C-alpha cells in the first residue's frame, strides 16, 4: 500500500474533511445538496478505494480526493434532480471542483512552482479549510458566497436573512478570525 493511502489505523483521510467540505460548499451553494453528506460519502469512498491510489505526493492525493468528490457531487445532483447521466455535466463539475481549488489558492495569494512550494501550498489550502471550519456557519457561508462564488452583499443578505451591513460585519470579523488563525498556525514550530 502507498504511504499516502491511510490504513485502518491511520486517520489521514479525516484530515482532508475540511478541505473537501469547503470545496463542496463552494460548488453546491446554499439550498442544494448537503455538502457534508457528499463529503462523508467521498471520504468513505476514498477509504474503501485507498489501495487504488497510485500517486506519490500529497498534491496527487488531493487531486484524487477532488475527483472522488466531483463524482459524488455529480451523483448527488443527479439523484436530486432525477436526471439521466450526462457526461458533460460530470466533466463540468470536475472542472468546477478544480476551479474551486484554484480559487482557494487565489484567496491565499500564493503562486508556487517548485515541488516544495506546491507541497507548502497544499498545506496552506488545508490550513485555510481547517480555519474556515472553526468559524460560525453563517460566517463560513458568507465568506464562501462572497469570496469564492462572487455574490454581492445584497444577495448574501437575502440568502442569510440579514441586512447587508450585518453581512459586511460577518465578512470583516470572519476574515479577521481567519487571518489570526492562519498567522498563529504559521508561527508554530
Amino acid at each position: 500500500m502507498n504511504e499516502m493511502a491511510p490504513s485502518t489505523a491511520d486517520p489521514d483521510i479525516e484530515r482532508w474533511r475540511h478541505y473537501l467540505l469547503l470545496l463542496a460548499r463552494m460548488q453546491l451553494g446554499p439550498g442544494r445538496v448537503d455538502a457534508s453528506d457528499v463529503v462523508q460519502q467521498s471520504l468513505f469512498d476514498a477509504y474503501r478505494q485507498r489501495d487504488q491510489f497510485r500517486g506519490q505526493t500529497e498534491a496527487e492525493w488531493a487531486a484524487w480526493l477532488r475527483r472522488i468528490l466531483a463524482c459524488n457531487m455529480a451523483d448527488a445532483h443527479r439523484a436530486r434532480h432525477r436526471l439521466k447521466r450526462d457526461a458533460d455535466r460530470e466533466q463540468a463539475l470536475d472542472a468546477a471542483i478544480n476551479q474551486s481549488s484554484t480559487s482557494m489558492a487565489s484567496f491565499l495569494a500564493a503562486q508556487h512552482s517548485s515541488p516544495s512550494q506546491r507541497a507548502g501550498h497544499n498545506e496552506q489550502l488545508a490550513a485555510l479549510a481547517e480555519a474556515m471550519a472553526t468559524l460560525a456557519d453563517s460566517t463560513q457561508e458568507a465568506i464562501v458566497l462572497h469570496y469564492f462564488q462572487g455574490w454581492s452583499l445584497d444577495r448574501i443578505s437575502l440568502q442569510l436573512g440579514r441586512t447587508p451591513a450585518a453581512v459586511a460585519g460577518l465578512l470583516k470579523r470572519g476574515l479577521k478570525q481567519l487571518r489570526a488563525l492562519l498567522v498563529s498556525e504559521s508561527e508554530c514550530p
Side-chain angles (χ1 to χ4, degrees):
M1 186 184 328
N2 188 307
E3 285 183 10
M4 288 297 303
S7 68
T8 54
D10 184 13
D12 194 46
I13 287 178
E14 187 62 31
R15 104 179 163 90
W16 292 90
R17 178 179 299 281
H18 298 301
Y19 172 73
L20 294 176
L21 187 57
L22 182 57
L23 289 175
R25 289 185 72 195
M26 290 168 60
Q27 287 306 309
L28 295 172
R32 296 183 187 151
V33 176
D34 184 11
S36 60
D37 289 345
V38 175
V39 168
Q40 181 67 24
Q41 182 62 48
S42 298
L43 292 172
F44 176 73
D45 292 347
Y47 179 76
R48 226 182 45 224
Q49 300 166 15
R50 67 193 179 280
D51 59 335
Q52 296 174 16
F53 175 69
R54 299 290 179 240
Q56 300 286 328
T57 68
E58 193 166 274
E60 291 169 322
W61 179 254
W64 188 67
L65 289 174
R66 286 193 305 268
R67 180 68 186 134
I68 292 171
L69 178 66
C71 290
N72 283 325
M73 287 174 54
D75 289 345
H77 183 72
R78 277 192 301 274
R80 184 172 186 270
H81 291 97
R82 304 289 184 234
L83 296 175
K84 292 183 180 179
R85 184 171 177 89
D86 183 348
D88 291 336
R89 183 187 326 253
E90 190 168 324
Q91 289 172 353
L93 189 54
D94 191 32
I97 291 283
N98 287 326
Q99 179 59 40
S100 291
S101 183
T102 302
S103 295
M104 287 173 61
S106 297
F107 185 75
L108 291 171
Q111 299 298 321
H112 303 295
S113 58
S114 76
S116 64
Q117 288 173 321
R118 281 192 299 274
H121 180 67
N122 284 333
E123 289 176 16
Q124 287 178 326
L125 292 176
L128 174 62
E130 296 261 341
M132 286 280 294
T134 66
L135 302 177
D137 289 342
S138 57
T139 304
Q140 286 182 45
E141 189 170 1
I143 288 173
V144 167
L145 293 174
H146 186 68
Y147 291 104
F148 299 123
Q149 293 184 353
W151 285 27
S152 69
L153 292 180
D154 290 334
R155 187 173 175 195
I156 297 169
S157 69
L158 290 173
Q159 175 66 34
L160 297 180
R162 297 174 184 236
T163 66
V167 170
L170 282 175
L171 292 171
K172 182 178 178 180
R173 287 186 303 279
L175 290 178
K176 184 178 179 181
Q177 288 173 314
L178 284 175
R179 282 187 193 106
L181 287 167
L182 294 171
V183 166
S184 68
E185 184 176 300
S186 68
E187 292 174 349
C188 292

